[in-house]
Amino acid sequence: MKIWIERQKALIDFTLSSLARRKLKNLGLLLVYTVIVFLLASVMLYTHALRHEAAQVLKNSPEVIVQRMVAGRHDLIPLGYLEKLGRIRGVQNKEGRLWGYFYDNVVSANYTLMAPSPESHGFGRIADGKIVIGAAVARERGLVPGNLISFRSYTGKLFVFTVAAVLPHEAELVSADLLLLSETDFRAFFDIPAGYYNDIALSVANPQEVRNIASKISETLPDARIILREEVLRTYESIFNWREGIVLVLLSGSILAFAIFAWEKASGLSAEEKREIGILKAIGWETGDVLKMKFWEGALVSLTAFLLGYVAAYFHVFHFSAALFEPVLKGWSVLYPRFELVPVVDGFQIATLFFFTVFPYTVATIVPIWRAAITDPDAVMRG
Amino acid sequence: MIKLTDIRKAYHQGQHNELWALNGIDLAIEANKVTALSGPSGSGKSTLLTLIGCMARPTSGRVQLGERDISGLPERFLTDIRRRTFGFVFQQFNLIAGLSARDNVMLPAYPLGGDWRALHERADALLDTLKLGQRRDARVEWLSGGEQQRVAIARALINDPQVVIADEPTANLDTALSREFMAILESLKQQGKTVILTSHDPLVVESSVVDRVVHLRDGHLVEGDK
Ligand SMILES: Nc1ncnc2c1ncn2[C@@H]1O[C@H](COP(=O)(O)OP(=O)(O)OP(=O)(O)O)[C@@H](O)[C@H]1O
Ligand SMILES: [Mg+2]
């Protein structure tokens, strides 16, 4: 064992000085390879994080949302609809929801305002005149519980609220820009008459029944639009796949070119290198020793490239919002008006990327060496 | 210590360009002596060295190292014997360009996996005795011919072999450097090494350091040992 370690140490030592001799070639290879890994990893990290995010958001959303359509547009839904829905079998819970968007000129941001049902947010009933705010809002406007905050509503009236609490930080992804207020305040602020809601959220006893229930709803309420969570999920999924596909297609040309370049550089064996392998064999190296040394050479280059490329991609995606892909991926911002990706790293994904980059490179360096390394040790004695 | 019995060696055997480089060599080489193989170009000197040094196997005949018959051993074993028993100095020196003198010297020791620190010390000590101490970090291609040869000698000695094999060691050296080389040979002999070399060079063949000269012609031994 100790001998084995000493051997690897010596081989790596030699490999390093050997790599240093062909600085330009090896640095070039390293660079090219890093770029490939960077591009691939960026795409993978990006789409994976988006999927993850969408799943997180949707996990908490209701299974069925019923909206009322008037002249093809989403309109307020009256209380009577809620009662009609109650008679459909399989509906477990139903709730009229009150929510709306509000643009705050002070910080140029869009807020989502909601009047939560008392059970749903763990803050109990929110008293009139109080407001619960998302962490980002608190940060932007420098608010702590007890402060006052005022908004001028769309009707022109000024409303003043006391901050009752700040939503916990972990929920920031979903709730960063959320404002929660009492039903009375909400109706007053947006001027929504009593007995009307924005939409109705349903939960279903048996998820298998969702489609049946949906068709029953549309029979009962012909002017309703029904939005199913599973459908939204599927739409997201297909949009993501499609986008990912486009990016990969766009990149594939350049990646292929890079890959061929790297392959050629790695696998081409100069006369000088062949001579060196001959010398090593003559002074007592076995074919296996030569291969091991070259294995380390390929492994060091491709591992370094992998690490550099992956870390760069990580920063690119999670700290610079995938700035390089912006032109292609912009459409996403329709789905996500304000997203900051939460870093998600998937082990399987890393393994896949690793396998498709480090492995072929190492093979590309080994194969031609292997052919040169099986030459007879006495070859150097001639000429 | 090395005994050759009826050694024959063919290149490209069975092909149209078949060539018999050695045609029945019987030779015993004594330990702690300097033996020179001499003869015209193409007479088979280098070929004989590769067989003695376990770099290649004879087509027929026996090679004994000490009491052991090594002519039938598979390549793996031959490599192992070779790197523990023999050190090689080649005509072209065959150093690896771009590496320092010291890195070159240490090369044959890597596959053996000895202690890394001890190896460095051994390499430095060898370079010191060969008066290359100050040049040890220089890349070998910046060294003069004589310095390069001394690096090659240090490399041959790094695994402390019993036998040093040198193919035309003075072919690339001028007279002064050749004399220096003969002095190094002398000291190797005093350390109890066995040296086997090939040479055309009268300066080597007629030197008092050489204990025995073996003449070859067309793959045969020619009588007339020194
Ligand atoms: N690998 C090889 N393949 C084919 N023929 C070879 C090979 N090595 C040597 N020979 C031939 O075998 C013969 C003996 O060659 P060898 O190199 O042993 O001679 P030498 O005495 O060392 O000559 P020189 O003094 O020129 O070095 C020559 O005719 C040579 O061409
Ligand atoms: Mg020769």
Side-chain angles (χ1 to χ4, degrees):
Chain A
M1 191 63 198
K2 175 135 168 29
I3 288 188
W4 187 86
I5 291 175
E6 289 291 338
R7 269 170 87 147
Q8 304 305 315
K9 215 159 87 182
L11 281 176
I12 293 175
D13 195 40
F14 174 65
T15 305
L16 282 176
S17 31
S18 164
L19 280 173
R21 285 181 305 148
R22 287 183 268 274
K23 250 193 222 96
L24 221 59
K25 175 184 169 183
N26 287 312
L27 278 181
L29 271 176
L30 186 70
L31 189 78
V32 164
Y33 228 66
T34 306
V35 169
I36 297 182
V37 173
F38 168 77
L39 289 175
L40 287 173
S42 290
V43 175
M44 283 174 129
L45 281 172
Y46 191 65
T47 48
H48 184 72
L50 275 181
R51 280 209 185 94
H52 182 81
E53 192 139 337
Q56 286 298 307
V57 170
L58 288 171
K59 200 174 69 192
N60 300 317
S61 78
E63 289 159 296
V64 184
I65 291 172
V66 180
Q67 297 177 337
R68 181 180 163 224
M69 306 300 285
V70 172
R73 297 186 43 144
H74 173 199
D75 200 5
L76 294 176
I77 195 163
L79 200 58
Y81 280 56
L82 202 56
E83 280 148 19
K84 285 188 207 158
L85 283 177
R87 283 184 230 118
I88 295 173
R89 280 219 282 147
V91 173
Q92 191 176 45
N93 250 317
K94 52 190 196 311
E95 181 196 352
R97 301 196 308 173
L98 287 169
W99 55 269
Y101 296 128
F102 178 74
Y103 181 74
D104 181 4
N105 310 43
V106 179
V107 292
S108 308
N110 254 309
Y111 298 150
T112 305
L113 272 68
M114 280 182 77
S117 62
E119 331 54 272
S120 62
H121 270 274
F123 286 92
R125 174 169 295 282
I126 297 170
D128 294 349
K130 299 276 186 202
I131 195 165
V132 173
I133 61 178
V137 183
R139 202 161 47 221
E140 284 296 308
R141 303 224 16 182
L143 295 170
V144 292
N147 289 163
L148 292 182
I149 182 169
S150 59
F151 297 115
R152 189 171 295 281
S153 82
Y154 293 125
T155 55
K157 265 168 58 187
L158 194 69
F159 286 78
V160 179
F161 301 101
T162 311
V163 176
V166 174
L167 289 169
H169 198 71
E170 312 85 76
E172 180 154 6
L173 169 64
V174 198
S175 65
D177 65 349
L178 199 59
L179 302 180
L180 302 177
L181 53 173
S182 77
E183 185 172 337
T184 325
D185 286 342
F186 186 91
R187 289 186 187 281
F189 191 78
F190 284 113
D191 201 19
I192 295 179
Y196 284 89
Y197 295 94
N198 285 83
D199 55 23
I200 295 171
L202 298 179
S203 64
V204 169
N206 178 4
Q208 315 276 288
E209 286 289 297
V210 166
R211 294 195 162 268
N212 272 336
I213 291 172
S215 62
K216 277 188 224 159
I217 296 174
S218 60
E219 274 166 35
T220 322
L221 307 171
D223 62 344
R225 174 163 72 181
I226 299 143
I227 300 166
L228 300 182
R229 183 170 68 186
E230 57 173 65
E231 230 145 57
V232 177
L233 264 175
R234 202 168 315 128
T235 311
Y236 276 20
E237 190 67 20
S238 67
I239 291 177
F240 290 156
N241 288 341
W242 184 71
R243 295 274 174 186
E244 185 176 33
I246 291 212
V247 175
L248 284 179
V249 167
L250 288 178
L251 289 180
S252 62
S254 41
I255 289 177
L256 195 70
F258 277 150
I260 290 170
F261 171 78
W263 176 277
E264 202 199 273
K265 282 282 169 203
S267 57
L269 206 55
S270 62
E272 178 68 13
E273 282 173 290
K274 280 194 195 126
R275 195 183 81 96
E276 284 174 18
I277 290 171
I279 295 174
L280 292 177
K281 295 242 10 193
I283 60 176
W285 288 41
E286 279 173 44
T287 308
D289 297 319
V290 177
L291 286 181
K292 262 176 243 155
M293 189 265 286
K294 289 291 170 177
F295 166 81
W296 280 118
E297 208 173 292
L300 282 176
V301 169
S302 53
L303 262 178
T304 314
F306 182 81
L307 288 179
L308 287 178
Y310 201 86
V311 169
Y314 186 93
F315 276 93
H316 172 222
V317 170
F318 296 121
H319 291 263
F320 297 100
S321 309
L324 288 182
F325 295 161
E326 208 167 40
V328 199
L329 299 177
K330 224 171 202 157
W332 255 321
S333 59
V334 174
L335 293 174
Y336 281 91
R338 49 189 155 96
F339 77 107
E340 252 171 44
L341 286 174
V342 172
V344 200
V345 172
D346 179 27
F348 179 71
Q349 209 182 46
I350 297 184
T352 312
L353 189 63
F354 185 83
F355 185 78
F356 281 102
T357 51
V358 175
F359 182 73
Y361 183 85
T362 309
V363 172
T365 47
I366 290 271
V367 169
I369 302 291
W370 177 72
R371 271 192 255 126
I374 53 177
T375 54
D376 292 331
D378 64 340
V380 284
M381 294 283 261
R382 305 159 216 159
Chain B
M1 77 168 301
I2 298 168
K3 194 152 174 277
L4 308 177
T5 316
D6 193 23
I7 291 291
R8 289 164 198 277
K9 174 75 180 178
Y11 289 111
H12 309 295
Q13 195 182 17
Q15 292 168 24
H16 65 93
N17 53 353
E18 179 176 295
L19 187 143
W20 286 89
L22 296 174
N23 299 301
I25 303 278
D26 293 288
L27 181 66
I29 292 168
E30 278 176 84
N32 310 339
K33 293 271 157 70
V34 176
T35 306
L37 306 178
S38 160
S41 186
S43 55
K45 305 182 293 291
S46 299
T47 304
L48 192 54
L49 274 193
T50 64
L51 299 182
I52 295 171
C54 298
M55 285 183 149
R57 271 177 295 190
T59 309
S60 71
R62 255 182 353 152
V63 181
Q64 277 168 284
L65 180 64
E67 295 301 300
R68 197 166 170 201
D69 183 352
I70 57 171
S71 33
L73 290 177
E75 170 159 349
R76 273 185 60 93
F77 291 93
L78 279 185
T79 306
D80 199 54
I81 293 173
R82 176 151 55 93
R83 60 191 176 196
R84 289 173 198 282
T85 316
F86 298 98
F88 297 88
V89 179
F90 305 98
Q91 175 173 349
Q92 320 288 348
F93 309 146
N94 280 331
L95 300 174
I96 292 192
L99 292 182
S100 70
R102 188 216 254 149
D103 279 339
N104 264 285
V105 170
M106 294 190 304
L107 277 180
Y110 286 150
L112 296 177
D115 180 64
W116 192 80
R117 277 270 290 288
L119 173 60
H120 277 70
E121 281 160 18
R122 204 144 34 96
D124 287 348
L126 273 173
L127 286 168
D128 281 341
T129 41
L130 291 168
K131 302 196 206 76
L132 276 170
Q134 312 89 330
R135 305 289 279 149
R136 66 173 172 228
D137 292 317
R139 292 163 148 241
V140 286
E141 66 268 33
W142 307 135
L143 300 180
S144 72
E147 286 171 330
Q148 288 190 9
Q149 181 172 52
R150 279 178 281 150
V151 174
I153 294 171
R155 183 177 69 182
L157 297 174
I158 189 74
N159 287 338
D160 195 21
Q162 288 162 269
V163 185
V164 174
I165 288 184
D167 194 20
E168 308 281 354
T170 59
N172 285 314
L173 302 180
D174 63 21
T175 310
L177 287 174
S178 297
R179 284 191 209 288
E180 225 171 88
F181 174 76
M182 297 317 287
I184 295 171
L185 270 194
E186 177 77 66
S187 76
L188 288 181
K189 197 160 93 174
Q190 272 158 23
Q191 290 163 39
K193 306 271 184 220
T194 306
V195 179
I196 306 166
L197 51 84
T198 67
S199 191
H200 290 102
D201 189 349
L203 195 142
V204 175
V205 180
E206 286 155 23
S207 155
S208 60
V209 180
V210 175
D211 299 294
R212 179 178 173 204
V213 180
V214 177
H215 293 278
L216 274 135
R217 181 175 288 276
D218 300 329
H220 293 283
L221 289 190
V222 184
E223 287 314 309
D225 283 7
K226 169 164 142 186

